[in-house]
Structures are given as structure tokens and as C-alpha cells.
Amino acid sequence: MLFAKIEFINLLPFHIYMKKNIKSNQQKAILEYKKSYPSLITNKFKTRKVHSAFISSIESRNEKFLDLGIVAHDEVLSVLLVPGEQKEDYQSKTSNALAKVLDLKGEVIIGDKALKFYHDYPNISKIDLAKAWQKKYNLPFVFAVLCYNKHETQLKNLTKKFKKSHIKIPQYILEQYSKRSGVSKQNILNYLKKIDYDLGIKEKRALKLFLNLAQKKGL
């Protein structure tokens, strides 16, 4: 199974879980990580170069997915809009679409660089897009869903016991991510408390609403 890995902090607990649960050499040979950012991974999945990945919500129409995603129930800190001249972030189709759905204009910044920006520039005006969505619709926001086009049973077996609360992040991995992103270890841990992964009824309703609103905008 070819699995594409979004190389952002928000999926760190999931990747630690996957690494621990792929025990046999045979499984490790089957599961291949292809690291990149969300929009490129979405393109790889859409062209069937990979079998499974967390796919940008805006691109999840008509795709099969498990009850796992990247979810924010309030502020997320890593998907921001700086009011002003409109500028999209090439790394995320969903975040760009969310800004348009919310009728907000400015520069979209996503991922680890957005988290660093949030902490480095506290006095610069910025809008947390997940928080803006929650305030307007009283729903969580689903940024991505775990889609698949092959190996459904294998993927379900691998992920069925994943629970964020059970994952402990080793200090050496925190150090690596902190050094790479420029975000302190404590800020990484605080940030991960804002991320959820379960897609329940409310999350699926939120996803459906977002896709409907995006479609009305021609997205």
C-alpha cells in the first residue's frame, strides 16, 4: 500500500501511531511513505499514484474515506488569514476555499509556517479561519479526510485503534519537529491539543456544509 504522508505537525500523533503499529518487515515494505504538503499529496492521490492519504476536504467529493480526518473544534492556529491583499497559499486548496466561503480577503498562511507566524508576530492582525468558521456556523471544521482507493481492509486494520489520547510523542521527535519548524516544543504540544481526528456525525455534517457552500462559490 502506498501511503502519502503530509509532513506537518498536525499529523504527528497519527504518524507515530502508524510507525509503532507496522511491526513486520513485510508490512513496512508494503507501506511506503511519500512525504509532501497537502495540495501535492491530493494531486498524487487523484492521479492514483498513491493508495491512501489525508486528502484536502475540498477535493474529497466522491472519494471513499474512513472516519478519520484533521479536525478543529475552535481556533487551530495553523490556518490563518492576514487581512489585506488576497493571496493564496499553494500548499492547501481547502484553506484557500475556506477563506472564500467565509468571504474573507487577505493572505492565507497554513501549516507549520502559519503556527510559527502566529507565535512570532502576536501583534499582527490575523484571522484564525477555523475559529471564524466555528463562530459563523457553530460547527467544527474538517481540513482533510483519510481517503483510500485500494487496500481498504488493510488500512482499516492499521488505523482502527488510533486514538490521539493514547499517543506519547518521544522527546527526540519533538526536538526534530521543533528544530525544523522553528516552533517551541511546548507550543507544539499546546497546538496538538487543538487538533482532533475523529469524524463523527457533527464533523461529517460540517464537511457536507463546507462542500455545498464551496460548490455555490464555484469551487
Side-chain angles (χ1 to χ4, degrees):
M1 178 172 65
L2 299 179
F3 184 90
K5 175 183 177 182
I6 295 176
E7 192 74 329
F8 283 170
I9 293 169
N10 58 17
L11 278 173
L12 180 54
F14 180 80
H15 294 314
I16 289 174
Y17 167 85
M18 291 287 276
K19 189 175 181 180
K20 287 182 177 179
N21 282 271
I22 302 169
K23 300 184 184 297
S24 72
N25 289 331
Q26 183 180 9
Q27 277 186 309
K28 288 178 180 178
I30 292 171
L31 190 72
E32 178 182 328
Y33 283 96
K34 292 181 176 290
K35 302 177 184 179
S36 192
Y37 50 84
S39 59
L40 185 58
I41 282 177
T42 295
N43 290 339
K44 286 180 180 292
F45 181 82
K46 287 289 187 179
T47 55
R48 300 310 189 236
K49 292 178 181 176
V50 297
H51 302 134
S52 179
F54 281 89
I55 298 303
S56 292
S57 294
I58 194 69
E59 297 285 356
S60 67
R61 294 185 183 99
N62 303 317
E63 298 289 357
K64 296 177 288 186
F65 58 87
L66 303 185
D67 290 341
L68 286 172
I70 301 173
V71 182
H73 288 271
D74 203 309
E75 65 177 9
V76 71
L77 309 186
S78 61
V79 181
L80 306 174
L81 181 136
V82 179
E85 184 179 350
Q86 187 168 329
K87 183 179 179 182
E88 295 188 344
D89 190 315
Y90 71 94
Q91 291 188 329
S92 175
K93 297 177 181 179
T94 290
S95 301
N96 296 329
L98 177 56
K100 292 175 182 176
V101 164
L102 293 170
D103 292 318
L104 296 172
K105 288 189 176 181
E107 180 179 358
V108 176
I109 310 173
I110 71 109
D112 298 353
K113 65 181 182 294
L115 185 59
K116 185 177 188 300
F117 181 87
Y118 175 86
H119 290 292
D120 286 354
Y121 301 100
N123 296 323
I124 292 181
S125 177
K126 59 187 81 68
I127 297 169
D128 188 301
L129 291 179
K131 178 66 175 178
W133 167 271
Q134 190 274 336
K135 284 178 68 176
K136 188 168 185 177
Y137 297 108
N138 195 30
L139 286 169
F141 190 78
V142 180
F143 286 98
V145 291
L146 182 54
C147 293
Y148 61 90
N149 52 58
K150 278 186 178 181
H151 306 291
E152 176 183 3
T153 300
Q154 185 182 11
L155 186 65
K156 284 182 175 178
N157 288 337
L158 272 173
T159 60
K160 64 184 178 181
K161 293 182 180 179
F162 172 67
K163 293 291 179 186
K164 183 182 78 166
S165 59
H166 298 167
I167 305 300
K168 292 184 179 179
I169 302 172
Q171 281 296 314
Y172 79 93
I173 292 180
L174 267 179
E175 288 277 6
Q176 289 173 0
Y177 272 74
S178 178
K179 186 175 181 180
R180 189 190 69 198
S181 66
V183 179
S184 73
K185 290 187 291 183
Q186 189 57 54
N187 282 338
I188 288 175
L189 292 174
N190 291 340
Y191 165 64
L192 288 173
K193 292 176 183 177
K194 300 178 182 296
I195 306 294
D196 198 7
Y197 304 97
D198 294 325
L199 291 184
I201 294 173
K202 198 170 186 179
E203 289 77 18
K204 289 176 182 177
R205 189 165 81 243
L207 176 60
K208 184 177 180 180
L209 175 61
F210 169 64
L211 292 176
N212 286 340
L213 292 171
Q215 190 172 39
K216 289 178 181 177
K217 292 275 188 180
L219 303 171

